[in-house]
Amino acid sequence: MTTPILLLGAGRMGGALIAGWAKAGAFAAADLIIRDPNADPTAFPGATVNPPLEALAVAKTVLLAVKPQIWREAVADVVPHLAPDAVIVSIAAGVRAADISEAFGGRAVARVMPTTAVAIGLGTASIVADTIEARARAHALLDPVAATVDLEDEALMHAATAVSGSAPAYLYAFIEALEAAGVGQGLDPADSARLARATIVGAAALLGQGGEEPAELRRQVTSPGGTTAAALSVLMGEGGFGDLLPRALEAAVKRSVELGG
């Protein structure tokens, strides 16, 4: 049994999951217990918000959704009140499953790295778990709102974080730069923003539903000697994506390792 679900933290990512579950009809609000000192009960109608600690014993699944820097203090007073068979699903970036399990008295743990698009049912999530039950519990929470990938080695979670968990920000940064570059070429700021955003959304949708490889889609819109080829000679040339992205992912992996240390 997956429910009731206790959410430790209902900030950006925890809130995104709640929104996604509601949109997908995955879990009823009455199945959710939210523990977050900053939570506004009116924002989560039907859910139980910040009940007495004794009420947490009914939780079958605990979603650890607090910032990794404060996770230990966030769980300290909760653990003694949990049921022995509660399963822990953590989305705290970089925090190792062994450390989480130890803090939760040896309970089964799954680690998940989701993206905020779970709020609209279009997220991605990487999952690693130490038991079959914990893996199944993580899938029960994420499958309704995300494309999921199972990792067999927890060490790969650092790379998954760099490729997926952090990647929405890379795309948003690219769009920011594209909009600014359009303005630099004389476009009105509003027009540049509209063109850049709609183009990226359309291109992503085409990739998502077409089943073709990104390289093939790129070739389809790149005429030899044309304008796109001229731009790609810069973006994919020396110092371009082929150099920048490995460096960016290396920095993300390094930071993920540091957070887990």
Short mmCIF file of all heavy atoms in Angstrom, two decimals, residues 53-118:
data_model
loop_
_atom_site.label_atom_id
_atom_site.label_comp_id
_atom_site.label_asym_id
_atom_site.label_seq_id
_atom_site.Cartn_x
_atom_site.Cartn_y
_atom_site.Cartn_z
N LEU A 53 2.77 15.08 15.72
CA LEU A 53 3.72 14.05 15.31
C LEU A 53 3.12 12.64 15.41
O LEU A 53 3.42 11.77 14.60
CB LEU A 53 5.00 14.14 16.14
CG LEU A 53 5.91 15.33 15.83
CD1 LEU A 53 6.99 15.47 16.89
CD2 LEU A 53 6.53 15.17 14.45
N GLU A 54 2.27 12.43 16.39
CA GLU A 54 1.69 11.12 16.59
C GLU A 54 0.86 10.67 15.38
O GLU A 54 0.70 9.48 15.12
CB GLU A 54 0.80 11.11 17.84
CG GLU A 54 1.57 11.31 19.16
CD GLU A 54 2.02 12.74 19.38
OE1 GLU A 54 1.50 13.65 18.70
OE2 GLU A 54 2.91 12.95 20.25
N ALA A 55 0.35 11.63 14.62
CA ALA A 55 -0.50 11.31 13.48
C ALA A 55 0.29 10.77 12.30
O ALA A 55 -0.29 10.24 11.34
CB ALA A 55 -1.28 12.56 13.06
N LEU A 56 1.61 10.88 12.35
CA LEU A 56 2.44 10.45 11.23
C LEU A 56 2.59 8.93 11.15
O LEU A 56 3.08 8.40 10.15
CB LEU A 56 3.84 11.09 11.32
CG LEU A 56 3.87 12.62 11.46
CD1 LEU A 56 5.30 13.13 11.44
CD2 LEU A 56 3.04 13.29 10.37
N ALA A 57 2.17 8.24 12.18
CA ALA A 57 2.34 6.78 12.23
C ALA A 57 1.53 6.07 11.15
O ALA A 57 1.84 4.92 10.80
CB ALA A 57 1.93 6.26 13.61
N VAL A 58 0.54 6.72 10.57
CA VAL A 58 -0.29 6.07 9.55
C VAL A 58 0.37 6.08 8.17
O VAL A 58 -0.07 5.37 7.26
CB VAL A 58 -1.68 6.72 9.45
CG1 VAL A 58 -2.41 6.62 10.78
CG2 VAL A 58 -1.58 8.17 9.00
N ALA A 59 1.42 6.87 8.00
CA ALA A 59 2.04 7.02 6.68
C ALA A 59 2.68 5.72 6.22
O ALA A 59 3.44 5.09 6.96
CB ALA A 59 3.07 8.13 6.71
N LYS A 60 2.37 5.32 5.00
CA LYS A 60 2.99 4.14 4.40
C LYS A 60 4.22 4.51 3.57
O LYS A 60 5.16 3.72 3.43
CB LYS A 60 1.99 3.41 3.50
CG LYS A 60 0.80 2.85 4.24
CD LYS A 60 1.24 1.81 5.26
CE LYS A 60 0.03 1.17 5.96
NZ LYS A 60 0.45 0.19 7.00
N THR A 61 4.19 5.72 2.99
CA THR A 61 5.31 6.21 2.19
C THR A 61 5.69 7.59 2.69
O THR A 61 4.82 8.42 2.96
CB THR A 61 4.93 6.31 0.69
OG1 THR A 61 4.42 5.06 0.24
CG2 THR A 61 6.14 6.71 -0.14
N VAL A 62 6.99 7.82 2.82
CA VAL A 62 7.49 9.12 3.26
C VAL A 62 8.30 9.72 2.12
O VAL A 62 9.30 9.13 1.68
CB VAL A 62 8.38 9.01 4.52
CG1 VAL A 62 8.91 10.38 4.92
CG2 VAL A 62 7.60 8.36 5.65
N LEU A 63 7.88 10.87 1.61
CA LEU A 63 8.61 11.55 0.55
C LEU A 63 9.49 12.63 1.18
O LEU A 63 8.98 13.60 1.73
CB LEU A 63 7.64 12.18 -0.46
CG LEU A 63 8.32 12.90 -1.63
CD1 LEU A 63 8.93 11.89 -2.59
CD2 LEU A 63 7.34 13.80 -2.36
N LEU A 64 10.79 12.42 1.10
CA LEU A 64 11.74 13.38 1.65
C LEU A 64 12.00 14.44 0.58
O LEU A 64 12.72 14.19 -0.39
CB LEU A 64 13.03 12.68 2.05
CG LEU A 64 14.15 13.56 2.64
CD1 LEU A 64 13.67 14.26 3.90
CD2 LEU A 64 15.40 12.73 2.92
N ALA A 65 11.41 15.62 0.75
CA ALA A 65 11.44 16.65 -0.29
C ALA A 65 11.95 17.98 0.25
O ALA A 65 11.50 19.04 -0.18
CB ALA A 65 10.05 16.82 -0.89
N VAL A 66 12.90 17.91 1.18
CA VAL A 66 13.48 19.13 1.74
C VAL A 66 14.83 19.40 1.06
O VAL A 66 15.37 18.55 0.36
CB VAL A 66 13.68 19.02 3.26
CG1 VAL A 66 12.34 18.83 3.96
CG2 VAL A 66 14.63 17.86 3.59
N LYS A 67 15.35 20.59 1.27
CA LYS A 67 16.67 20.91 0.72
C LYS A 67 17.72 19.99 1.32
O LYS A 67 17.68 19.68 2.52
CB LYS A 67 17.02 22.38 1.02
CG LYS A 67 16.10 23.39 0.36
CD LYS A 67 16.54 24.80 0.65
CE LYS A 67 15.55 25.83 0.12
NZ LYS A 67 15.27 25.68 -1.30
N PRO A 68 18.67 19.52 0.50
CA PRO A 68 19.65 18.54 1.01
C PRO A 68 20.48 19.07 2.17
O PRO A 68 20.93 18.29 3.02
CB PRO A 68 20.53 18.24 -0.22
CG PRO A 68 20.27 19.34 -1.19
CD PRO A 68 18.87 19.80 -0.94
N GLN A 69 20.65 20.39 2.24
CA GLN A 69 21.47 20.95 3.31
C GLN A 69 20.81 20.84 4.69
O GLN A 69 21.50 20.93 5.71
CB GLN A 69 21.79 22.42 3.02
CG GLN A 69 22.64 22.64 1.76
CD GLN A 69 21.79 22.82 0.51
OE1 GLN A 69 20.63 22.39 0.47
NE2 GLN A 69 22.36 23.43 -0.52
N ILE A 70 19.49 20.64 4.73
CA ILE A 70 18.79 20.65 6.03
C ILE A 70 18.05 19.34 6.30
O ILE A 70 17.25 19.26 7.23
CB ILE A 70 17.79 21.82 6.12
CG1 ILE A 70 16.68 21.66 5.07
CG2 ILE A 70 18.49 23.16 5.96
CD1 ILE A 70 15.50 22.59 5.29
N TRP A 71 18.32 18.31 5.51
CA TRP A 71 17.48 17.13 5.60
C TRP A 71 17.56 16.45 6.96
O TRP A 71 16.56 15.96 7.47
CB TRP A 71 17.81 16.15 4.47
CG TRP A 71 19.07 15.34 4.64
CD1 TRP A 71 20.32 15.70 4.27
CD2 TRP A 71 19.19 14.04 5.23
NE1 TRP A 71 21.23 14.72 4.57
CE2 TRP A 71 20.55 13.69 5.16
CE3 TRP A 71 18.28 13.15 5.79
CZ2 TRP A 71 21.04 12.47 5.65
CZ3 TRP A 71 18.76 11.94 6.28
CH2 TRP A 71 20.11 11.61 6.21
N ARG A 72 18.74 16.41 7.56
CA ARG A 72 18.86 15.70 8.84
C ARG A 72 18.02 16.37 9.94
O ARG A 72 17.33 15.69 10.70
CB ARG A 72 20.33 15.63 9.27
CG ARG A 72 21.16 14.65 8.45
CD ARG A 72 22.55 14.48 9.02
NE ARG A 72 23.37 13.61 8.22
CZ ARG A 72 23.37 12.28 8.28
NH1 ARG A 72 22.57 11.68 9.16
NH2 ARG A 72 24.14 11.55 7.51
N GLU A 73 18.08 17.68 10.02
CA GLU A 73 17.29 18.35 11.05
C GLU A 73 15.80 18.26 10.75
O GLU A 73 14.97 18.26 11.68
CB GLU A 73 17.72 19.81 11.17
CG GLU A 73 17.57 20.64 9.91
CD GLU A 73 18.20 22.01 10.04
OE1 GLU A 73 19.42 22.12 9.80
OE2 GLU A 73 17.47 22.97 10.36
N ALA A 74 15.46 18.13 9.48
CA ALA A 74 14.04 18.06 9.10
C ALA A 74 13.40 16.74 9.47
O ALA A 74 12.18 16.66 9.66
CB ALA A 74 13.89 18.31 7.60
N VAL A 75 14.20 15.67 9.59
CA VAL A 75 13.63 14.35 9.86
C VAL A 75 13.81 13.92 11.31
O VAL A 75 13.18 12.93 11.74
CB VAL A 75 14.25 13.28 8.93
CG1 VAL A 75 14.16 13.72 7.48
CG2 VAL A 75 15.69 12.95 9.29
N ALA A 76 14.64 14.61 12.05
CA ALA A 76 15.03 14.13 13.39
C ALA A 76 13.84 13.85 14.29
O ALA A 76 13.78 12.79 14.95
CB ALA A 76 15.97 15.15 14.04
N ASP A 77 12.87 14.76 14.34
CA ASP A 77 11.76 14.55 15.27
C ASP A 77 10.65 13.70 14.66
O ASP A 77 9.71 13.30 15.36
CB ASP A 77 11.19 15.89 15.75
CG ASP A 77 10.68 16.76 14.62
OD1 ASP A 77 10.99 16.46 13.45
OD2 ASP A 77 9.96 17.75 14.89
N VAL A 78 10.75 13.41 13.37
CA VAL A 78 9.72 12.64 12.68
C VAL A 78 9.94 11.14 12.83
O VAL A 78 8.99 10.38 13.06
CB VAL A 78 9.69 13.02 11.18
CG1 VAL A 78 8.79 12.07 10.40
CG2 VAL A 78 9.22 14.46 11.02
N VAL A 79 11.18 10.72 12.71
CA VAL A 79 11.52 9.29 12.62
C VAL A 79 10.92 8.46 13.75
O VAL A 79 10.36 7.38 13.50
CB VAL A 79 13.05 9.11 12.58
CG1 VAL A 79 13.42 7.63 12.66
CG2 VAL A 79 13.61 9.72 11.30
N PRO A 80 10.97 8.89 15.02
CA PRO A 80 10.44 8.04 16.09
C PRO A 80 8.94 7.76 15.99
O PRO A 80 8.45 6.82 16.62
CB PRO A 80 10.74 8.85 17.37
CG PRO A 80 11.85 9.77 17.00
CD PRO A 80 11.60 10.12 15.57
N HIS A 81 8.24 8.52 15.19
CA HIS A 81 6.79 8.39 15.11
C HIS A 81 6.32 7.63 13.87
O HIS A 81 5.11 7.43 13.68
CB HIS A 81 6.15 9.78 15.13
CG HIS A 81 6.43 10.54 16.38
ND1 HIS A 81 5.72 10.40 17.56
CD2 HIS A 81 7.41 11.45 16.65
CE1 HIS A 81 6.22 11.18 18.49
NE2 HIS A 81 7.25 11.84 17.97
N LEU A 82 7.26 7.19 13.02
CA LEU A 82 6.88 6.50 11.79
C LEU A 82 6.63 5.02 12.04
O LEU A 82 7.22 4.41 12.94
CB LEU A 82 7.98 6.66 10.74
CG LEU A 82 8.28 8.08 10.27
CD1 LEU A 82 9.44 8.07 9.28
CD2 LEU A 82 7.04 8.72 9.64
N ALA A 83 5.79 4.43 11.21
CA ALA A 83 5.56 2.99 11.28
C ALA A 83 6.82 2.26 10.84
O ALA A 83 7.56 2.74 9.97
CB ALA A 83 4.39 2.61 10.37
N PRO A 84 7.09 1.08 11.42
CA PRO A 84 8.31 0.34 11.06
C PRO A 84 8.39 -0.02 9.58
O PRO A 84 9.48 -0.13 9.02
CB PRO A 84 8.22 -0.92 11.93
CG PRO A 84 7.33 -0.54 13.07
CD PRO A 84 6.34 0.43 12.50
N ASP A 85 7.24 -0.20 8.92
CA ASP A 85 7.25 -0.62 7.52
C ASP A 85 7.11 0.55 6.54
O ASP A 85 6.93 0.34 5.34
CB ASP A 85 6.13 -1.63 7.25
CG ASP A 85 4.75 -1.06 7.52
OD1 ASP A 85 4.65 0.02 8.13
OD2 ASP A 85 3.75 -1.72 7.12
N ALA A 86 7.20 1.77 7.04
CA ALA A 86 7.15 2.92 6.14
C ALA A 86 8.35 2.89 5.19
O ALA A 86 9.47 2.55 5.59
CB ALA A 86 7.15 4.22 6.93
N VAL A 87 8.11 3.22 3.93
CA VAL A 87 9.16 3.24 2.92
C VAL A 87 9.50 4.70 2.61
O VAL A 87 8.62 5.54 2.47
CB VAL A 87 8.71 2.52 1.64
CG1 VAL A 87 9.73 2.67 0.52
CG2 VAL A 87 8.45 1.05 1.93
N ILE A 88 10.79 4.98 2.49
CA ILE A 88 11.27 6.34 2.27
C ILE A 88 11.61 6.54 0.80
O ILE A 88 12.37 5.76 0.22
CB ILE A 88 12.52 6.64 3.12
CG1 ILE A 88 12.35 6.12 4.56
CG2 ILE A 88 12.82 8.13 3.08
CD1 ILE A 88 11.15 6.67 5.29
N VAL A 89 11.05 7.57 0.19
CA VAL A 89 11.40 7.97 -1.17
C VAL A 89 11.98 9.37 -1.08
O VAL A 89 11.29 10.30 -0.66
CB VAL A 89 10.17 7.96 -2.10
CG1 VAL A 89 10.56 8.44 -3.50
CG2 VAL A 89 9.57 6.55 -2.17
N SER A 90 13.24 9.51 -1.45
CA SER A 90 13.94 10.78 -1.29
C SER A 90 14.17 11.47 -2.62
O SER A 90 14.61 10.84 -3.58
CB SER A 90 15.29 10.56 -0.60
OG SER A 90 16.06 11.76 -0.63
N ILE A 91 13.88 12.77 -2.67
CA ILE A 91 14.24 13.58 -3.82
C ILE A 91 15.25 14.66 -3.41
O ILE A 91 15.41 15.67 -4.10
CB ILE A 91 13.01 14.22 -4.50
CG1 ILE A 91 12.24 15.11 -3.54
CG2 ILE A 91 12.10 13.14 -5.06
CD1 ILE A 91 11.10 15.87 -4.22
N ALA A 92 15.94 14.42 -2.29
CA ALA A 92 16.98 15.35 -1.82
C ALA A 92 18.25 15.10 -2.63
O ALA A 92 18.89 14.05 -2.49
CB ALA A 92 17.24 15.14 -0.33
N ALA A 93 18.62 16.04 -3.46
CA ALA A 93 19.74 15.86 -4.39
C ALA A 93 21.05 15.58 -3.65
O ALA A 93 21.40 16.28 -2.70
CB ALA A 93 19.90 17.10 -5.26
N GLY A 94 21.74 14.54 -4.09
CA GLY A 94 23.08 14.25 -3.60
C GLY A 94 23.16 13.48 -2.31
O GLY A 94 24.24 13.03 -1.93
N VAL A 95 22.04 13.29 -1.60
CA VAL A 95 22.08 12.62 -0.30
C VAL A 95 21.99 11.11 -0.50
O VAL A 95 21.05 10.60 -1.11
CB VAL A 95 20.93 13.10 0.61
CG1 VAL A 95 21.06 12.45 1.98
CG2 VAL A 95 20.94 14.61 0.73
N ARG A 96 22.99 10.39 -0.01
CA ARG A 96 23.11 8.96 -0.27
C ARG A 96 22.02 8.14 0.43
O ARG A 96 21.59 8.47 1.53
CB ARG A 96 24.48 8.46 0.19
CG ARG A 96 25.65 9.06 -0.59
CD ARG A 96 26.97 8.59 -0.06
NE ARG A 96 27.13 8.96 1.35
CZ ARG A 96 28.21 8.66 2.07
NH1 ARG A 96 29.20 7.97 1.53
NH2 ARG A 96 28.30 9.04 3.33
N ALA A 97 21.62 7.07 -0.24
CA ALA A 97 20.57 6.20 0.29
C ALA A 97 20.97 5.61 1.64
O ALA A 97 20.14 5.47 2.54
CB ALA A 97 20.23 5.09 -0.71
N ALA A 98 22.24 5.23 1.78
CA ALA A 98 22.70 4.63 3.04
C ALA A 98 22.55 5.60 4.20
O ALA A 98 22.16 5.21 5.31
CB ALA A 98 24.15 4.17 2.90
N ASP A 99 22.86 6.87 3.96
CA ASP A 99 22.73 7.88 5.02
C ASP A 99 21.26 8.11 5.37
O ASP A 99 20.91 8.29 6.54
CB ASP A 99 23.36 9.20 4.57
CG ASP A 99 24.88 9.09 4.43
OD1 ASP A 99 25.47 8.24 5.10
OD2 ASP A 99 25.45 9.86 3.64
N ILE A 100 20.41 8.11 4.34
CA ILE A 100 18.98 8.29 4.58
C ILE A 100 18.43 7.12 5.37
O ILE A 100 17.69 7.29 6.35
CB ILE A 100 18.22 8.45 3.25
CG1 ILE A 100 18.69 9.71 2.52
CG2 ILE A 100 16.71 8.49 3.48
CD1 ILE A 100 18.21 9.81 1.10
N SER A 101 18.78 5.90 4.95
CA SER A 101 18.29 4.71 5.63
C SER A 101 18.73 4.69 7.09
O SER A 101 17.94 4.37 7.99
CB SER A 101 18.79 3.45 4.91
OG SER A 101 18.30 2.29 5.56
N GLU A 102 19.98 5.07 7.33
CA GLU A 102 20.48 5.11 8.71
C GLU A 102 19.70 6.10 9.54
O GLU A 102 19.30 5.82 10.68
CB GLU A 102 21.97 5.47 8.71
CG GLU A 102 22.58 5.53 10.10
CD GLU A 102 24.04 5.94 10.08
OE1 GLU A 102 24.53 6.39 9.03
OE2 GLU A 102 24.69 5.82 11.14
N ALA A 103 19.45 7.29 8.97
CA ALA A 103 18.72 8.32 9.71
C ALA A 103 17.28 7.90 9.98
O ALA A 103 16.69 8.30 10.99
CB ALA A 103 18.74 9.63 8.93
N PHE A 104 16.73 7.06 9.09
CA PHE A 104 15.35 6.60 9.24
C PHE A 104 15.28 5.21 9.89
O PHE A 104 14.31 4.48 9.69
CB PHE A 104 14.64 6.58 7.89
CG PHE A 104 14.10 7.92 7.47
CD1 PHE A 104 14.86 8.77 6.68
CD2 PHE A 104 12.84 8.35 7.86
CE1 PHE A 104 14.37 10.00 6.28
CE2 PHE A 104 12.34 9.58 7.47
CZ PHE A 104 13.11 10.42 6.69
N GLY A 105 16.28 4.86 10.65
CA GLY A 105 16.24 3.62 11.42
C GLY A 105 16.30 2.36 10.59
O GLY A 105 15.73 1.33 10.98
N GLY A 106 16.97 2.41 9.44
CA GLY A 106 17.12 1.21 8.62
C GLY A 106 15.97 0.94 7.67
O GLY A 106 15.92 -0.14 7.05
N ARG A 107 15.05 1.83 7.54
CA ARG A 107 13.91 1.62 6.64
C ARG A 107 14.36 1.60 5.19
O ARG A 107 15.38 2.19 4.83
CB ARG A 107 12.84 2.69 6.87
CG ARG A 107 12.12 2.57 8.21
CD ARG A 107 11.19 3.75 8.43
NE ARG A 107 10.39 3.60 9.65
CZ ARG A 107 10.79 3.92 10.87
NH1 ARG A 107 12.02 4.42 11.05
NH2 ARG A 107 10.00 3.74 11.91
N ALA A 108 13.58 0.94 4.34
CA ALA A 108 13.90 0.84 2.91
C ALA A 108 13.84 2.22 2.26
O ALA A 108 12.97 3.03 2.58
CB ALA A 108 12.93 -0.11 2.22
N VAL A 109 14.77 2.45 1.33
CA VAL A 109 14.90 3.78 0.72
C VAL A 109 15.00 3.67 -0.80
O VAL A 109 15.69 2.80 -1.33
CB VAL A 109 16.17 4.50 1.25
CG1 VAL A 109 16.43 5.78 0.47
CG2 VAL A 109 16.02 4.81 2.73
N ALA A 110 14.32 4.57 -1.48
CA ALA A 110 14.53 4.81 -2.91
C ALA A 110 14.92 6.26 -3.08
O ALA A 110 14.37 7.14 -2.42
CB ALA A 110 13.27 4.52 -3.72
N ARG A 111 15.91 6.49 -3.95
CA ARG A 111 16.28 7.86 -4.29
C ARG A 111 15.75 8.19 -5.68
O ARG A 111 15.84 7.37 -6.60
CB ARG A 111 17.80 8.03 -4.30
CG ARG A 111 18.42 8.19 -2.93
CD ARG A 111 19.91 8.50 -3.06
NE ARG A 111 20.14 9.74 -3.81
CZ ARG A 111 21.32 10.10 -4.32
NH1 ARG A 111 22.37 9.30 -4.16
NH2 ARG A 111 21.45 11.24 -4.97
N VAL A 112 15.23 9.39 -5.82
CA VAL A 112 14.65 9.81 -7.10
C VAL A 112 15.16 11.21 -7.43
O VAL A 112 15.24 12.07 -6.55
CB VAL A 112 13.11 9.82 -7.03
CG1 VAL A 112 12.53 10.29 -8.35
CG2 VAL A 112 12.57 8.45 -6.65
N MET A 113 15.48 11.42 -8.71
CA MET A 113 15.81 12.76 -9.18
C MET A 113 14.78 13.16 -10.23
O MET A 113 14.87 12.76 -11.39
CB MET A 113 17.22 12.81 -9.77
CG MET A 113 17.61 14.16 -10.37
SD MET A 113 17.28 15.59 -9.30
CE MET A 113 18.32 15.20 -7.90
N PRO A 114 13.74 13.90 -9.83
CA PRO A 114 12.70 14.31 -10.78
C PRO A 114 12.94 15.72 -11.31
O PRO A 114 13.80 16.46 -10.80
CB PRO A 114 11.44 14.28 -9.91
CG PRO A 114 11.95 14.70 -8.55
CD PRO A 114 13.39 14.26 -8.45
N THR A 115 12.17 16.09 -12.32
CA THR A 115 12.17 17.47 -12.82
C THR A 115 10.83 18.10 -12.48
O THR A 115 9.83 17.41 -12.27
CB THR A 115 12.39 17.50 -14.34
OG1 THR A 115 11.36 16.73 -14.99
CG2 THR A 115 13.74 16.94 -14.71
N THR A 116 10.81 19.43 -12.44
CA THR A 116 9.61 20.13 -11.99
C THR A 116 8.44 20.00 -12.96
O THR A 116 7.31 20.31 -12.59
CB THR A 116 9.89 21.63 -11.78
OG1 THR A 116 10.54 22.17 -12.94
CG2 THR A 116 10.79 21.84 -10.57
N ALA A 117 8.70 19.49 -14.18
CA ALA A 117 7.60 19.29 -15.13
C ALA A 117 6.66 18.16 -14.68
O ALA A 117 5.64 17.93 -15.33
CB ALA A 117 8.13 19.00 -16.53
N VAL A 118 6.97 17.51 -13.56
CA VAL A 118 6.00 16.56 -12.99
C VAL A 118 4.69 17.28 -12.67
O VAL A 118 3.63 16.66 -12.62
CB VAL A 118 6.55 15.86 -11.72
CG1 VAL A 118 7.74 14.98 -12.04
CG2 VAL A 118 6.92 16.88 -10.63
#
